[in-house]
Amino acid sequence: MVKWNSEEVIQMDSMIFLKFMHALLGLYLWEFFISLDFDWAVMTGKTRFRWPLIFYFAGRYLLLFALIGIAVALDTSSEINCQALYAFNQLAGNAAVGLASINLSFRTVAIWSQNIWLVILLVLAIIGHWSLILQGILLTAVWRPGVGCTITYSDTTILAATFIYSMCFDFVVLCLSAYKLAWTPMRNGTNAAPTRLSRMLFSDGLIYFFIAFGSNVIATTMMVLDLNAIMSVIFNVPAAIASTIVASRVVRRLTNFQRSGLEMISLPVENSGAAFKNTNVGLPNTVDAPSTAGIHVEMDTFAHAANIDLEGYPGVRRTTSSASYSEDHKPVQVV
């Protein structure tokens, strides 16, 4: 049986931790550089900056700085203040996990048309999440000659609670999004096929949840086992990287969605409940369908541009005319 707290095993775990962190740093740097074009487009104004992107950039760069800090702690040959450096690394890494959950929450708020009760619920959940993230320094690191900074103690109770909270929070957010995108139209009796936007929101949410959930389960399991100070936290960094990468990709896909072409939607008037008023300000013209057995049917066929408003985050609004259309079949508002 392995004696996890023996000096030889801890020394071996330290070397494994060192090599593992370098591999993860390389993985994240690759992901970071292949997506720099999006960051550059926002900074140069080619892509419009919206305030929810603050959380995207914060999570993305905080995790980068945390990984660089871990590399410095493991590679430096001169004695440094390991405790202060690892305190920053822990805070930045945990903050990246919390910011990834916030990015997913913005999508749900927009899907629910910024429902005030849902916003209050999610804000309270986010406050609870960050109350765990900001608990303080949960590990102790010391300098060891010939090895570098080594973790000697970690408070796995708070860390495990933080990751479990993240999993539950992400699951609730996913269920709320799925309910609005899938169940609500069925309950209202609307049989219209889902749009590309709704399919993308749902599939991206599922991918994010399963990747983040799987990585968090592994990290939480190791913390609960508490084999030794190093093995308890060795999978925290992969969990933070996985959550940040998928959350960042979700944000970029949604922001770039507005660059796609027009999406044709045909809605029967009797099912949608929308009253179209024919004016001279660019609204769609009414098309008379051939009548059968004395029944005259009118259908309005129009195209809307999938212009994503990140201030409400992922919502579809119409900007090429003076009519607005909501995907949950609300009446069209003429302005």
Side-chain angles (χ1 to χ4, degrees):
M1 182 177 180
V2 178
K3 296 181 180 179
W4 291 100
N5 291 310
S6 65
E7 189 68 25
E8 295 79 8
V9 173
I10 291 178
Q11 189 80 7
M12 182 181 65
D13 291 343
S14 298
M15 297 305 298
I16 294 174
F17 184 82
L18 185 149
K19 292 179 170 54
F20 191 33
M21 292 304 106
H22 282 83
L24 292 174
L25 175 60
L27 171 66
Y28 188 74
L29 286 177
W30 172 78
E31 168 68 21
F32 185 86
F33 284 115
I34 66 172
S35 55
L36 266 181
D37 57 336
F38 178 83
D39 297 17
W40 181 252
V42 173
M43 288 186 288
T44 56
K46 294 180 180 178
T47 298
R48 183 179 177 185
F49 177 81
R50 305 294 181 90
W51 68 266
L53 289 177
I54 295 174
F55 300 94
Y56 162 81
F57 284 111
R60 183 171 159 86
Y61 284 88
L62 275 176
L63 184 57
L64 176 65
F65 296 149
L67 291 174
I68 293 175
I70 293 175
V72 170
L74 296 175
D75 293 340
T76 182
S77 57
S78 303
E79 185 174 353
I80 59 174
N81 188 340
C82 298
Q83 182 64 28
L85 184 55
Y86 266 99
F88 167 77
N89 295 340
Q90 181 192 38
L91 178 61
N94 290 344
V97 175
L99 290 167
S101 297
I102 290 177
N103 284 324
L104 188 64
S105 300
F106 277 124
R107 297 156 54 86
T108 304
V109 169
I111 291 171
W112 280 80
S113 302
Q114 303 182 31
N115 181 281
I116 184 62
W117 297 110
L118 181 73
V119 171
I120 293 174
L121 173 65
L122 291 179
V123 167
L124 292 176
I126 290 171
I127 292 174
H129 194 193
W130 280 83
S131 67
L132 291 173
I133 291 174
L134 301 176
Q135 279 291 318
I137 302 173
L138 303 176
L139 52 80
T140 303
V142 298
W143 172 264
R144 288 188 176 180
V147 178
C149 292
T150 303
I151 300 172
T152 58
Y153 169 78
S154 59
D155 186 352
T156 57
T157 302
I158 300 298
L159 286 173
T162 302
F163 278 86
I164 292 173
Y165 194 107
S166 298
M167 290 187 290
C168 296
F169 182 43
D170 292 343
F171 179 72
V172 170
V173 169
L174 175 67
C175 290
L176 289 171
S177 300
Y179 174 82
K180 191 66 174 178
L181 290 172
W183 176 251
T184 300
M186 294 174 57
R187 187 191 63 182
N188 294 337
T190 55
N191 298 321
T195 63
R196 281 196 306 126
L197 177 62
S198 62
R199 288 196 302 268
M200 186 191 72
L201 291 174
F202 186 69
S203 61
D204 284 359
L206 279 178
I207 293 171
Y208 169 88
F209 173 74
F210 283 119
I211 293 178
F213 185 85
S215 58
N216 288 340
V217 163
I218 297 174
T220 304
T221 301
M222 296 303 297
M223 285 184 281
V224 171
L225 291 176
D226 196 14
L227 301 175
N228 58 43
I230 296 175
M231 293 301 295
S232 296
V233 298
I234 193 171
F235 286 103
N236 290 11
V237 176
I241 290 176
S243 299
T244 302
I245 288 178
V246 293
S248 299
R249 290 197 173 200
V250 162
V251 172
R252 290 194 299 270
R253 275 170 53 84
L254 184 58
T255 305
N256 293 332
F257 185 83
Q258 61 184 330
R259 300 175 183 175
S260 60
L262 296 179
E263 184 176 3
M264 299 299 298
I265 299 178
S266 180
L267 293 175
V269 174
E270 63 272 19
N271 288 340
S272 66
F276 292 91
K277 182 179 179 181
N278 193 9
T279 66
N280 295 326
V281 291
L283 288 176
N285 295 324
T286 300
V287 180
D288 293 337
S291 60
T292 304
I295 299 176
H296 182 69
V297 180
E298 291 185 354
M299 295 183 65
D300 288 333
T301 303
F302 61 98
H304 75 279
N307 185 17
I308 307 303
D309 182 9
L310 286 180
E311 291 178 339
Y313 214 34
V316 177
R317 68 175 185 176
R318 186 173 178 175
T319 59
T320 56
S321 74
S322 56
S324 61
Y325 172 74
S326 174
E327 283 197 349
D328 40 353
H329 303 281
K330 295 179 181 178
V332 170
Q333 179 183 2
V334 180
V335 295

